[in-house]
Amino acid sequence: QVQLVESGGGLVQAGGSLRLSCAASGSFFSINNINLMGWYRQAPGEQRELVASITRSSDTQYVDSVKGRFTISGNARNAVYLQMNSLEPEDTAVYYCHAKRTSRDEYWGQGTQVTVSS
């Protein structure tokens, strides 16, 4: 089983920056078969949405609303990061680390709160 632990959330003013980190732990077999990691977020009353993802081949995807402001990085195996710049109040949400194995098994972190004040 894979466990994901997020860190780096907090309260910032609009225009500020935060860097989220996620570390995956578990058996070598489980970790080695992860081929995608990313970040989702969920605001109150909203559906959880994919913010950014990265694959082992370094392919990245971003939701349109964060393009040019957020950067995802990491090895898509046991570590993923999300650099968030020019934060906006609309970015306020609980951010969840996500990992997917080649078997399509998925794992989720418990989430870290990001609050952006106007």
Side-chain angles (χ1 to χ4, degrees):
Q1 193 78 351
V2 174
Q3 293 183 323
L4 305 176
V5 179
E6 308 101 331
S7 62
L11 172 64
V12 298
Q13 291 184 276
S17 298
L18 285 173
R19 183 176 177 85
L20 305 183
S21 299
C22 176
S25 62
S27 70
F28 174 83
F29 176 83
S30 296
I31 297 296
N32 193 57
N33 281 283
I34 293 174
N35 67 348
L36 180 145
M37 295 187 74
W39 294 91
Y40 285 72
R41 68 185 180 187
Q42 187 167 21
E46 303 287 343
Q47 293 185 339
R48 187 173 298 186
E49 68 171 348
L50 175 63
V51 178
S53 64
I54 184 168
T55 69
R56 289 284 191 91
S57 59
S58 299
D59 294 322
T60 59
Q61 293 186 358
Y62 299 90
V63 67
D64 287 344
S65 61
V66 309
K67 289 180 178 178
R69 300 188 297 118
F70 291 10
T71 302
I72 190 169
S73 62
N75 58 18
R77 178 175 178 270
N78 60 6
V80 65
Y81 309 93
L82 187 67
Q83 179 65 46
M84 304 185 293
N85 298 325
S86 301
L87 283 162
E88 304 169 353
E90 292 75 21
D91 297 317
T92 296
V94 177
Y95 285 69
Y96 297 90
C97 183
H98 169 259
K100 184 176 72 67
R101 295 176 63 191
T102 55
S103 65
R104 298 185 181 180
D105 291 336
E106 295 181 284
Y107 304 94
W108 296 90
Q110 292 186 337
T112 184
Q113 178 70 47
V114 171
T115 302
V116 184
S117 62
S118 59

